[in-house]
Amino acid sequence: MNGVRTTSGKQHEPLGKLFAKLPKRALSRVGVVDVGSNSIRLVVFDGAARSPAYFYNEKVMAGLGAEMASTGKLNPKGVERGFAALSRFAALAKGMDIEPLTCVATAAVREAEDGPAFQQRVERETGLKLLVIDGEEEARLSAQGVLLGWPEASGLVCDIGGNSMELAEVANGKVGRRVTSPLGPFRLQQVKGGKDGLRKHIRKIVSELAEKMGTEHERIYLVGGSWRAIARLDMERTGYPMTVLHEYRMTPEAVQDTVDFISASDLSEIRSSVSISASRMELVPLASRVLSELVSVFKPEDLAVSSYGIREGLLYEHMSDALRKRDPLIEAARFSERQMARIPGSGRKLYDFLQPIYDDVPPERDRLIKAACLLHDTTWRAHPDYRAEACFDNVTRANMAALSHPERVFLGVSLLHRYKNNRNNSPMARLFSLLDDDELRDAEILGKAMRFGAMFAIDDPADAGTLKYKRADKILRLHLTDMGRRLMGEVAVARFKSLCNAMKVEPDIID
């Protein structure tokens, strides 16, 4: 069946009505169901339109495509599990007043002999209309999901499912060449000839993919549950301090080491410690063989895990160009401030107040400073004894796009120091290792700058004074207004001096 073909900037039924409000900053709740060969997932998006949050997320490992390579039909047990899941999802959507619920079906339903019958039964008994897309459309939507999370993504997107694996190029905010292949683990289970036959089969197909897609891609973006499971095992193997999978990076050497680790391990023993389901873990050894061959043939400089795929790609499909150009991190931070800060809008004023300190920082640091200022007051409801740790935990685990792991920790440390003068004996200390000493110092300075500026005035620090940073003389000067003189109590003085001490400059207060 042909895919749902769409072009940027146009609205097409049945998706057009669903995403009609996306150009606005706030996103009305949007529900998407992804019916894959192995799993069926419902996601309800909410929050910032450019950086949607997951209001609801549920997955069922139905296994629709299990044994399909040998029978040509959907797995009967998977059909019943899938139908039960879709019936539940339809009821949940109705309860959340999400209509219509967009449902996309991929390899299993499009290739099985009884796929159309399953499609018709679902629509007849649940009211859900499955949009069956072809392999190239699946590749395109997955690639657009990566672009939603990484606006500057450049490389090759590789999306693995149960019965297929898709590749797509991304660069300059666009999706280029794309191709589908039969390299899903369910299909590989049916390959004859033992380990040697399997190795030759995978190598042949990957070599054909390389001829079509080229091998000049510096980065491979990994989409799909099997890739995420392998990345989680890589974290376990290396003792990586953070368990957020999105934007986790692996070198080709690390991938090969983890493939060897998987081959040599009793995966049933480590499965529970890494929270991977038995049905997912069953497919990991085969997926790891594919990944090993991909690395060997395509020779990327690194690989990055994406938690965003087809579902997010559907959202990106219907974003205006103006919305796509917004920074997902800043949009998410703005939304959080509007929802949770005591004085929404104060974050931008705090950012402006601190600009004399940061007038020469590069853009990649400036966006972190802006995000920190927008988030500086969003955990005020937490108990004062735990507010600093709550700030750190929230930002390092938050579902935010366009934010690398070191950047997460930088934001976390800066927000920790927004509420706490030091980080001694912090329970988050393991994660600090993702930053070098200079980055830790810069995050501490930003936190102490926000700590001072946030209490220096009720609304806008500029009403109380202005900063002037004389780098050559190593002096941070604070010019007070009449209001500032009244507000500059002993706590404010102490916090200003703490900031200057972190910056290794002399404080100069002019009233």
Side-chain angles (χ1 to χ4, degrees):
M1 182 173 180
N2 290 331
V4 182
R5 299 296 180 183
T6 57
T7 56
S8 177
K10 296 182 180 180
Q11 299 290 333
H12 294 265
E13 297 295 347
L15 303 180
K17 291 182 181 178
L18 192 62
F19 301 118
K21 296 183 179 180
L22 269 180
K24 297 181 180 179
R25 274 213 144 85
L27 175 68
S28 298
R29 285 180 192 164
V30 171
V32 177
V33 174
D34 179 5
V35 181
S37 299
N38 195 26
S39 65
I40 299 177
R41 187 188 292 267
L42 165 68
V43 173
V44 178
F45 297 101
D46 204 338
R50 185 58 186 83
S51 185
Y54 295 88
F55 176 79
Y56 190 84
N57 192 342
E58 183 175 330
K59 176 181 68 176
V60 174
M61 302 297 289
L64 277 175
E67 301 179 2
M68 194 185 79
S70 59
T71 67
K73 295 182 178 181
L74 297 173
N75 177 16
K77 292 182 179 179
V79 167
E80 296 310 313
R81 293 191 71 189
F83 179 74
L86 291 169
S87 297
R88 170 176 164 78
F89 293 167
L92 286 170
K94 185 175 182 180
M96 287 185 268
D97 195 26
I98 299 170
E99 293 182 334
L101 185 64
T102 298
C103 304
V104 174
T106 54
V109 177
R110 75 171 172 253
E111 296 175 8
E113 292 177 19
D114 53 351
F118 177 75
Q119 184 181 8
Q120 292 162 13
R121 179 188 173 190
V122 169
E123 185 171 359
R124 182 176 64 251
E125 298 186 30
T126 71
L128 298 179
K129 183 176 178 61
L130 297 186
L131 306 173
V132 183
I133 60 176
D134 65 23
E136 288 194 10
E137 182 70 357
E138 186 176 352
R140 190 179 70 87
L141 289 174
S142 293
Q144 289 191 159
V146 169
L147 288 172
L148 185 142
W150 274 286
E152 305 300 322
S154 179
L156 194 66
V157 175
C158 181
D159 182 359
I160 193 168
N163 274 289
S164 67
M165 185 186 78
E166 285 70 41
L167 299 179
E169 288 180 319
V170 287
N172 302 315
K174 303 293 183 182
V175 181
R177 292 175 293 178
R178 49 200 186 269
V179 66
T180 186
S181 75
L183 282 179
F186 284 150
R187 286 187 183 275
L188 296 178
Q189 288 174 340
Q190 310 302 319
V191 175
K192 307 298 183 182
K195 290 184 178 180
D196 189 53
L198 180 63
R199 178 182 58 80
K200 291 179 179 178
H201 177 77
I202 294 173
R203 176 165 295 178
K204 178 178 181 295
I205 295 175
V206 172
S207 296
E208 292 171 352
L209 292 173
E211 289 180 7
K212 293 179 180 179
M213 302 299 292
T215 58
E216 70 279 7
H217 313 284
E218 293 183 359
R219 174 170 294 159
I220 293 179
Y221 298 88
L222 299 175
V223 177
S226 293
W227 295 152
R228 291 193 294 272
I230 293 170
R232 184 65 186 87
L233 291 171
D234 186 72
M235 290 177 170
E236 182 74 8
R237 179 185 67 82
T238 60
Y240 190 73
M242 184 181 289
T243 56
V244 174
L245 285 166
H246 186 63
E247 294 219 18
Y248 180 63
R249 308 292 175 87
M250 294 182 288
T251 65
E253 294 76 18
V255 167
Q256 297 294 3
D257 288 344
T258 297
V259 169
D260 293 340
F261 169 75
I262 290 169
S263 179
S265 298
D266 181 348
L267 298 184
S268 62
E269 291 185 1
I270 62 175
R271 181 178 66 80
S272 59
S273 65
V274 292
S275 300
I276 299 174
S277 68
S279 56
R280 176 67 69 194
M281 188 65 86
E282 182 183 356
L283 305 181
V284 163
L286 287 170
S288 70
R289 289 173 177 265
V290 176
L291 186 58
S292 176
E293 198 63 37
L294 279 171
V295 167
S296 177
V297 172
F298 282 89
K299 295 180 171 53
E301 292 186 6
D302 75 348
L303 300 94
V305 177
S306 173
S307 295
Y308 297 169
I310 286 177
R311 298 171 295 274
E312 293 76 14
L314 285 167
L315 284 174
Y316 190 86
E317 171 79 2
H318 293 272
M319 288 181 179
S320 66
D321 288 340
L323 183 56
R324 289 178 179 181
K325 291 176 181 177
R326 294 177 187 166
D327 187 329
L329 171 62
I330 301 304
E331 292 298 299
R334 281 176 175 151
F335 185 85
S336 295
E337 185 193 39
R338 287 197 301 270
Q339 297 293 312
M340 296 184 288
R342 284 174 289 192
I343 308 176
S346 64
R348 179 56 195 245
K349 296 172 183 176
L350 178 59
Y351 170 81
D352 290 340
F353 174 71
L354 299 179
Q355 275 306 288
I357 301 176
Y358 296 110
D359 61 355
D360 64 345
V361 297
E364 58 269 19
R365 178 56 59 83
D366 181 66
R367 65 191 292 268
L368 296 182
I369 295 167
K370 186 178 294 183
C373 289
L374 291 169
L375 295 169
H376 86 277
D377 194 40
T378 55
T379 55
W380 65 274
R381 291 181 183 274
H383 190 283
D385 291 347
Y386 302 102
R387 202 170 284 158
E389 282 71 22
C391 277
F392 186 96
D393 197 55
N394 282 352
V395 77
T396 52
R397 297 178 185 272
N399 181 48
M400 288 183 172
L403 192 64
S404 70
H405 287 192
E407 288 173 335
R408 284 178 182 271
V409 177
F410 183 92
L411 273 180
V413 172
S414 67
L415 291 167
L416 184 154
H417 281 290
R418 155 67 177 90
Y419 285 108
K420 194 173 184 178
N421 198 48
N422 67 73
R423 56 183 182 276
N424 297 338
N425 302 313
S426 171
M428 316 298 184
R430 286 186 68 238
L431 278 76
F432 299 164
S433 64
L434 295 182
L435 301 181
D436 61 31
D437 290 343
D438 288 341
E439 290 168 329
L440 278 171
R441 176 177 172 269
D442 288 348
E444 178 179 344
I445 289 171
L446 174 57
K448 291 185 173 182
M450 294 189 295
R451 183 171 170 81
F452 165 66
M455 65 89 61
F456 184 47
I458 297 172
D459 180 22
D460 188 348
D463 294 337
T466 56
L467 291 172
K468 185 173 182 179
Y469 182 23
K470 302 185 69 175
R471 286 181 176 78
D473 298 330
K474 294 186 176 181
I475 294 173
L476 182 61
R477 185 163 291 153
L478 175 64
H479 292 265
L480 298 175
T481 65
D482 289 341
M483 179 185 291
R485 282 190 285 274
R486 296 193 296 271
L487 290 170
M488 199 64 180
E490 61 182 69
V491 175
V493 171
R495 291 188 178 183
F496 182 66
K497 289 182 177 179
S498 178
L499 167 61
C500 292
N501 184 58
M503 294 176 65
K504 297 181 180 179
V505 300
E506 291 297 320
D508 184 15
I509 301 174
I510 298 177
D511 57 7

